[in-house]
Amino acid sequence: MDHAADAHRTDLMTITRYVLNEQSKHPESRGDFTILLSHIVLGCKFVCTAVNKAGLAKLIGLAGETNVQGEEQKKLDVLSNEVFIKALVSSGRTCILVSEEDEEATFVEPPNRGKYCVVFDPLDGSSNIDCGVSIGTIFGIYAIEDGEEPKIEDVLQPGKNMVAAGYCMYGSSCTLVLSTGSGVNGFTLDPSLGEFILTHPDIKIPKKGKIYSVNEGNAKNWDTPTAKYVEKCKFPQDGSPAKSLRYIGSMVADVHRTLLYGGIFLYPADKKSPNGKLRVLYEVFPMSYLMEQAGGQSFTGKGRALDLLPNKIHERSPIFLGSFDDVEEIKALYAAEEQK
């Protein structure tokens, strides 16, 4: 691909243009959502640059030390959190922010306040940075009624009420996957343009996949339906080929692969984590939203993930998500277990 020629192309669909096109379908919109998303995109670009430099900073002894200005070099997850908090507050379009890094929700001061609540994990999988495994940012957006005083209940809503969700993966390329409620689109950062370009339009997850993704190290603590399902993946009784196991251990990377290639991602409850391990608001909900928008489904072991009503901002839940038929199978196993 000739990048020099590419840089002069004006027919590339940038994420900004895509969001503006979406906005034009809603004549009542005032552009607030577009401004909010552009600030999220800016945060993602910033973190992408920081992640790419992190290995080097560590190798030459910068991370965790004091820099020339006498400031401590921040750990990447703390830095990413500050980047997103600042980007979201300065957009002037948010009222409540819930971050994986902060124990309490952030309520935006009235002069900068808008009608959107953003829930996010600024750097998911950050323990994987040192070995070069893909990590990412996950986010979900709720809208509240204009003019209302924001309260914590505004974010403690079922995931199906979200107006948008997405993630940005910092890997071999920087990819942002987004849904604003009408399908799922993937954008890749072109470093020469500094722009996210639409590279994966209208992502549809295959109806059935050949891959299962789970931490088998927890197998001895699994419940019966999960154990039965994984057994079926490895030793199918119906003559079909066995599924392949792929588990990166970075949720963004595992879900991204599941979305593109099909299959199922499982993080069940087990004896060690009876409520599961992944957080409802900023991991389970955004990823479930994207899966459903791409034609897949998402299940908690009890019901549809997006129907959950969280009681706390850092609540956890088991999760099974991916190709429609694969999730159907696990749902059937849980239903059979209930019948006993």
Side-chain angles (χ1 to χ4, degrees), residues 70 77 82 122 137 147 170 218 254-255 267 314:
D77 39 8
E82 287 182 9
T137 298
Y170 314 110
N218 292 332
D254 278 314
V255 170
Y267 211 117
H314 298 299

Side-chain angles (χ1 to χ4, degrees), residues 48 51-52 132-136 168-175:
C48 178
V51 167
N52 289 342
V133 167
S134 295
I135 51 185
C168 188
M169 185 171 75
Y170 314 110
S172 51
S173 58
C174 179
T175 309

Side-chain angles (χ1 to χ4, degrees), residues 3 34-35 55 59 70 84 109 117 154 163 181-182 225 253 256 258 289 296 317 319:
H3 273 291
T34 309
I35 292 166
L59 287 174
F84 278 103
E109 295 297 317
C117 307
D154 293 327
V163 293
S182 49
H256 186 64
T258 306
Y289 186 94
S317 167
I319 186 68

Side-chain angles (χ1 to χ4, degrees), residues 56-73:
L56 186 63
K58 187 143 188 192
L59 287 174
I60 53 181
L62 283 175
E65 292 190 6
T66 308
N67 65 13
V68 192
Q69 287 82 24
E71 303 163 336
E72 281 218 351
Q73 292 285 338

Side-chain angles (χ1 to χ4, degrees), residues 247-275:
Y247 186 69
I248 298 164
S250 175
M251 188 191 192
V252 173
D254 278 314
V255 170
H256 186 64
R257 184 204 54 246
T258 306
L259 195 59
L260 296 183
Y261 300 162
I264 187 167
F265 170 83
L266 311 89
Y267 211 117
D270 59 31
K271 295 188 188 86
K272 271 192 317 191
S273 318
N275 299 321

